[in-house]
Amino acid sequence: MSPRTAPPRFGPLQLALAAAGTAAAALDLFMDGWVAVEYARRGQPGWAALSLSLLVAASAAAQACSWFWLRSDPPALRPAVPAALLAALHLLQLGFLFRCLHALKVGWKVCWAKAEEEEEQRHMAFLSHDISMLRLIETFLENTPQLTLLLYIILQTNKAEISQGLGICTAFLCVSWSLLDYHQSLRSFLQDKYELSWGSSIIYFLWNLFLICPRILAVALFALLWPYGLAVHFPLVWLAMFLWVSLQGTDFMESPGPEQLYRAVVAVILYFSWFNVAQGRTLHRSIIYHGFILVDSTLLALSWLWGRAPSEEHWYLIPVVSAALPCYLLGLGLRVTYYKWLHPNMQVQQEGGYDEVDANGRTDGLEFRSFSEPDFVNRRMQWLAQTQFPVSQLARQHFLNGAAAL
C-alpha cells in the first residue's frame, strides 16, 4: 500500500470534539478560579495564593511555548491578525484560548465550506497538533500540582468541599484525557489503519489514570507529613529529570533557548508521568523510569506512615494507601497489554508487516504519511511521532532528511 498524502479527514465529529475540548479547558480554568476564591472566602489566603501561583506559572509556560511556535511557523499558517495583537494575547495569558477558537473557526470552514477543502484540511491538522501538545503542557504544569494541593488540603482538614471534589474529578479526567489526545494526535502521522480504536483508547486512558493516581497520592501524603519537605523533593527530582532529558538530546524547538524551556517542561511532566522524548527503543528507559518512580513513591508513602501514624479520623487512609501499589501495578499491566497487543508495531506484525524498508517505504511495519506540501506539516509533532513510534535506522535517516527539508 502506498503512503497517503493527506491527513485524516476533519469532519463534524472532530469539530464537536474540538469544541468539547475548548469547553473543558474553560471549565477547568473556572474550577481552579472557584477553588481559589473559596480558599480566600474561608480565610485561607495562603492556599488561595498558592493555587493561583500554580495556575499562572503553568499558563506562562504554555503561552511561551505557543508564542515560540507561532514565530517559527510558516507565514501562511499563522492567524491573520497583527503580530502585536498576538503578542498581547499571549502576554494576557489568552494565547491558548485564541488558538482553540481559531482552530474552531478553521474547523467550521473545513466542515461546511467547499472552497479549498484539501488545503484547509491540512491547515486544521497543523493547528490540532499544536493544540494537543499545548493542552498536555498546561495540564501537567497546572492540573497535577493543583491535584496534589487539593488532596493535601482535604487530607489536612479531613473534609472536602463541593468545589474541591469537583476540582479533583475534572483535573484527573483532564490529565488522563490530555495524554490520550496527545497520543492520538501523534498516531495521525501514521497511516489510517493504525488509528486508535475505542478499545485501545480506553486501555490507554485507564493505564495512565492508574499510574498517575498513586503518584499524586504519595506526593500529597509526604506533603501532609512535611509540607516544606516537598519544596526540597520536587526540585531535586525535577533536576534529575531535566538532566536525563538533556542527555537524551531533544530537538523539539527551533533554537537552543526555547529548547531548554521545553526540557524544563518535560521534566515537570516526568515528575508525575512517563513521557518519551528520544528515538529508539523505549523499553529500557521505561523500566528505569517506572522503577525510579515506584521506589520514590513508596519511600514517600512509607515516610508518612513512619512519621505520622494515621489517627482515628484518618483511618480510611490505610486501605487507600494499601490499594495504591496494586493500582500502580495494574496500570503497568495495562500498559504492557497495550504495547503487546494494541501498539502499531504489534498490529503490523499480526498483519504480516515487514522488518526492513521495502519499495513502498514500509519500515518495521510502520508507514509514516508522506506530505506533498511540507509547509503544512507540523515538524514539531512529526518529530515526537518519530520518537513515539520507532522505525529502522534507514527509515530514520529518511525521516531526518525530510525534516531537514521543511
Side-chain angles (χ1 to χ4, degrees):
M1 182 180 67
S2 60
R4 294 176 54 138
T5 59
R9 309 300 295 179
F10 187 91
L13 176 60
Q14 287 71 28
L15 179 63
L17 291 175
T22 302
L27 175 63
D28 183 57
L29 181 63
F30 171 78
M31 291 302 305
D32 292 334
W34 183 22
V35 170
V37 169
E38 286 295 308
Y39 290 152
R41 187 180 62 83
R42 296 200 306 263
Q44 298 165 331
W47 289 347
L50 181 56
S51 181
L52 289 176
S53 298
L54 293 173
L55 179 62
V56 171
S59 179
Q63 303 299 324
C65 290
S66 175
W67 175 247
F68 286 133
W69 297 352
L70 280 174
R71 291 182 60 185
S72 64
D73 286 345
L77 296 181
R78 297 173 189 170
V81 297
L85 177 58
L86 283 176
L89 288 172
H90 284 79
L91 285 175
L92 294 173
Q93 308 303 297
L94 297 174
F96 177 66
L97 179 61
F98 172 78
R99 278 180 174 269
C100 292
L101 295 177
H102 177 62
L104 288 178
K105 177 182 177 181
V106 176
W108 180 270
K109 184 177 179 181
V110 167
C111 290
W112 308 115
K114 299 301 181 181
E116 301 178 326
E117 179 182 0
E118 194 63 40
E119 181 177 332
E120 294 297 341
Q121 285 279 355
R122 298 177 188 277
H123 189 189
M124 189 62 210
F126 189 100
L127 297 175
S128 298
H129 291 315
D130 275 348
I131 289 175
S132 175
M133 187 62 186
L134 286 171
R135 180 180 292 117
L136 182 73
I137 290 173
E138 190 164 19
T139 296
F140 269 94
L141 268 63
E142 189 263 323
N143 286 110
T144 46
Q146 289 279 7
L147 267 173
T148 306
L149 176 62
L150 278 173
L151 193 55
Y152 162 76
I153 294 173
I154 289 173
L155 294 177
Q156 187 187 63
T157 59
N158 203 36
K159 63 180 180 179
E161 303 290 339
I162 295 178
S163 60
Q164 293 172 327
L166 291 176
I168 285 179
C169 292
T170 56
F172 266 122
L173 289 175
C174 285
V175 170
S176 299
W177 182 263
S178 67
L179 284 167
L180 176 60
D181 180 66
Y182 164 78
H183 189 65
Q184 289 177 322
S185 180
L186 293 189
R187 289 182 71 128
S188 67
F189 283 97
L190 301 175
Q191 292 297 333
D192 286 337
K193 66 177 181 178
Y194 302 123
E195 291 178 357
L196 219 58
S197 65
W198 282 103
S200 301
S201 299
I202 292 173
I203 295 296
Y204 195 90
F205 177 87
L206 288 177
W207 72 253
N208 279 291
L209 183 64
F210 290 155
L211 291 180
I212 292 172
C213 287
R215 176 61 175 174
I216 291 178
L217 175 63
V219 174
L221 289 175
F222 183 70
L224 193 63
L225 169 67
W226 188 21
Y228 296 104
L230 197 59
V232 177
H233 178 266
F234 174 78
L236 289 178
V237 176
W238 175 86
L239 180 60
M241 295 300 178
F242 179 80
L243 294 175
W244 193 40
V245 172
S246 299
L247 290 174
Q248 295 181 61
T250 61
D251 184 24
F252 183 74
M253 304 293 250
E254 298 292 335
S255 57
E259 188 67 27
Q260 298 305 313
L261 171 63
Y262 168 72
R263 292 173 180 177
V265 167
V266 171
V268 176
I269 296 176
L270 287 169
Y271 183 83
F272 294 100
S273 176
W274 164 257
F275 188 84
N276 187 38
V277 295
Q279 294 184 6
R281 295 184 60 83
T282 62
L283 177 62
H284 296 116
R285 292 196 300 271
S286 181
I287 291 175
I288 292 172
Y289 171 80
H290 286 292
F292 173 83
I293 292 297
L294 182 59
V295 171
D296 182 66
S297 298
T298 301
L299 290 176
L300 294 179
L302 290 177
S303 298
W304 170 76
L305 284 172
W306 182 268
R308 176 181 290 186
S311 59
E312 291 185 1
E313 62 181 7
H314 287 101
W315 62 268
Y316 59 88
L317 286 178
I318 294 298
V320 170
V321 173
S322 301
L325 180 59
C327 179
Y328 194 87
L329 296 178
L330 176 60
L332 289 177
L334 289 175
R335 186 170 191 258
V336 171
T337 299
Y338 173 84
Y339 282 102
K340 187 172 179 61
W341 286 289
L342 303 174
H343 193 264
N345 289 351
M346 299 301 104
Q347 294 176 3
V348 170
Q349 291 178 14
Q350 294 169 3
E351 296 170 7
Y354 296 91
D355 292 329
E356 297 178 355
V357 180
D358 64 11
N360 292 325
R362 186 180 304 223
T363 58
D364 285 346
L366 290 181
E367 266 184 284
F368 283 84
R369 298 180 186 277
S370 61
F371 295 89
S372 58
E373 298 182 49
D375 283 346
F376 284 91
V377 180
N378 193 316
R379 190 205 70 86
R380 295 177 290 270
M381 296 298 286
Q382 189 180 36
W383 178 266
L384 288 174
Q386 181 73 2
T387 66
Q388 184 72 23
F389 307 110
V391 296
S392 66
Q393 291 295 329
L394 180 56
R396 183 174 295 113
Q397 188 59 48
H398 288 324
F399 170 83
L400 292 174
N401 293 338
L406 297 181

